[in-house]
Amino acid sequence: MTIFKLPVFDELEGYERDPFRSFYNCGIYQEPYDYPLVDFPGLLDIEVNNHCNFDCLFCYRNKMIRKENFMDTALFRKIIDESRSNNLTGIRICGWGEPFMHRNIYDMIQYASSNTLLVHITTNGSFLINDDNRKRLLDSGCNKVKFSFQGADENGYGVMRNNSLYQNIVKAVLSLINERDRAGSNLFVQVGTSFTDETMDERASFFDFWVDKADHVYGDNTHLEHVKDMERIKNLTMKSEPVYRQNKFSRCGRPQSMMFISSSGQASFCCSDYNMENIIGDVNQTDLKSIWHGQDINIIREMLKEGKKKLIPICANCYTQR
């Protein structure tokens, strides 16, 4: 197994134009344990729904047993209202579903944006094949869209994403970039993928295609730990062992700077909590600040600060940077 310290490919020059860069570069995100706990999270990950129109082989949704639902718009507005009054930097609309499936997604983006919050949205890109949807996104006030690919080419994408939409989504991304430029929009377009057994040359080919088209492009790695016992993953023929990234930080800083809100309104300290097994509060019942300073998340912070990551099941086998 090959281990490296940074993503295989990451166009850092483009990253410097990321509207969220001031948060990602700040001390509470980079070195959170060198600073006192902030009064309110700097960033919120909000899952507006956990439905998805894809059936990807690698996705942890294959093991998700919690109920599928769409976040109530009133609850979303409650989260935004409290966030605005506490000087939140921004929100990332992401999670364990395709956010463009929510019928009110454009209104949600616009509401957050009109309340001076930065808005990022992560998508599989399928809904932006539609011309009208791209226009609605550009008109919504969204600051950043991340297109999530898989593999390095059409074949690898088709196998892992379990569909044949690769060329359609590539065309949608390119169309959005052209339409954005014509409209004079500041929407930041990021293209990312994750690799399994692709060669370095194949990875480089993906990067070379996008580097002068998207604002930022990077490659990470697919981790199959939670789904490796599934038959359709077992039957995949790998050319070589996956390349894994070494953790950049020995102590996760997310509970010091960020929080995840599920589509049902439950809060977790980890965005990888696909089954919401690490609930630290419920936004339907209490305010975000009380959850942020609550006993449940403080216990996790202390354990991570003391280097007891292995005692927290969701953290023990984490391969993310933090």
Side-chain angles (χ1 to χ4, degrees):
M1 179 183 296
T2 303
I3 298 179
F4 55 93
K5 293 185 178 180
L6 290 172
V8 176
F9 299 111
D10 195 347
E11 177 49 56
L12 297 177
E13 181 179 351
Y15 169 73
E16 289 304 316
R17 299 190 300 272
D18 189 324
F20 284 77
R21 70 187 181 281
S22 61
F23 173 78
Y24 296 141
N25 289 338
C26 75
I28 64 165
Y29 184 78
Q30 291 290 334
E31 300 293 343
Y33 295 98
D34 292 345
Y35 297 85
L37 180 67
V38 291
D39 194 46
F40 197 79
L43 201 65
L44 286 179
D45 284 340
I46 304 178
E47 177 191 72
V48 296
N49 67 276
N50 62 335
H51 293 264
C52 192
N53 59 327
F54 278 16
D55 182 27
C56 303
L57 301 192
F58 60 90
C59 185
Y60 291 3
R61 281 179 50 83
N62 290 302
K63 291 297 186 73
M64 191 173 71
I65 57 175
R66 63 185 169 104
K67 181 181 177 181
E68 293 183 325
N69 64 349
F70 293 92
M71 178 175 282
D72 185 80
T73 304
L75 177 61
F76 180 85
R77 289 183 172 229
K78 175 188 175 185
I79 294 169
I80 298 305
D81 291 344
E82 184 181 354
S83 298
R84 177 197 58 201
S85 63
N86 284 281
N87 300 313
L88 183 80
T89 298
I91 63 169
R92 300 192 303 191
I93 299 176
C94 54
W96 297 97
E98 170 50 49
F100 284 101
M101 291 183 71
H102 199 297
R103 65 181 182 178
N104 294 325
I105 186 61
Y106 302 102
D107 292 336
M108 289 173 153
I109 295 172
Q110 190 170 37
Y111 188 77
S113 177
S114 67
N115 279 279
T116 69
L117 299 181
L118 291 174
V119 182
H120 160 127
I121 189 165
T122 297
T123 178
N124 61 35
S126 58
F127 282 82
L128 296 178
I129 293 172
N130 180 278
D131 296 349
D132 290 338
N133 287 344
R134 293 196 304 274
K135 184 179 186 308
R136 293 183 73 184
L137 177 63
L138 287 171
D139 292 341
S140 68
C142 187
N143 302 98
K144 177 180 176 181
V145 58
K146 172 185 173 182
F147 287 90
S148 181
F149 281 84
Q150 183 67 28
D153 54 27
E154 185 172 5
N155 180 62
Y157 176 95
V159 171
M160 296 302 285
R161 288 286 188 188
N162 202 20
N163 67 55
S164 57
L165 290 175
Y166 182 83
Q167 292 297 340
N168 301 77
I169 294 174
V170 168
K171 182 179 178 182
V173 179
L174 297 176
S175 295
L176 178 65
I177 293 170
N178 289 331
E179 292 156 0
R180 174 203 64 183
D181 292 345
R182 289 199 303 269
S185 167
N186 292 322
L187 178 66
F188 187 88
V189 178
Q190 182 181 59
V191 170
T193 192
S194 61
F195 303 111
T196 48
D197 61 348
E198 286 82 2
T199 66
M200 296 300 286
D201 285 344
E202 289 169 334
R203 297 174 187 219
S205 178
F206 179 89
F207 183 83
D208 289 343
F209 177 82
W210 285 109
V211 69
D212 61 351
K213 298 178 179 67
D215 296 309
H216 181 237
V217 55
Y218 75 96
D220 209 326
N221 292 283
T222 305
H223 305 296
L224 305 176
E225 288 76 18
H226 289 73
V227 294
K228 63 184 179 181
D229 59 333
M230 297 186 65
E231 202 61 36
R232 60 184 187 172
I233 292 293
K234 287 181 179 180
N235 292 340
L236 287 177
T237 302
M238 294 295 183
K239 292 176 288 187
S240 62
E241 283 191 283
V243 180
Y244 289 99
R245 179 175 61 187
Q246 189 179 55
N247 284 356
K248 183 178 179 182
F249 300 95
S250 59
R251 298 181 300 177
C252 176
R254 290 184 181 273
Q256 293 283 114
S257 59
M258 303 168 62
M259 191 159 58
F260 176 78
I261 311 296
S262 75
S263 53
S264 64
Q266 295 174 321
S268 175
F269 62 86
C270 180
C271 60
S272 295
D273 193 3
Y274 59 95
N275 265 330
M276 295 304 292
E277 296 173 338
N278 301 272
I279 297 172
I280 56 173
D282 191 328
V283 186
N284 294 287
Q285 300 172 4
T286 188
D287 59 276
L288 289 165
K289 183 175 282 191
S290 296
I291 296 172
W292 182 247
H293 292 281
Q295 180 179 8
D296 291 339
I297 191 171
N298 281 332
I299 290 172
I300 297 297
R301 289 177 180 133
E302 285 302 312
M303 292 179 71
L304 291 171
K305 187 176 182 179
E306 294 170 5
K308 298 179 180 179
K309 169 184 172 181
K310 295 296 183 182
L311 299 180
I312 308 170
I314 196 170
C315 302
N317 297 310
C318 180
Y319 280 97
T320 61
Q321 277 194 345
R322 292 183 169 273

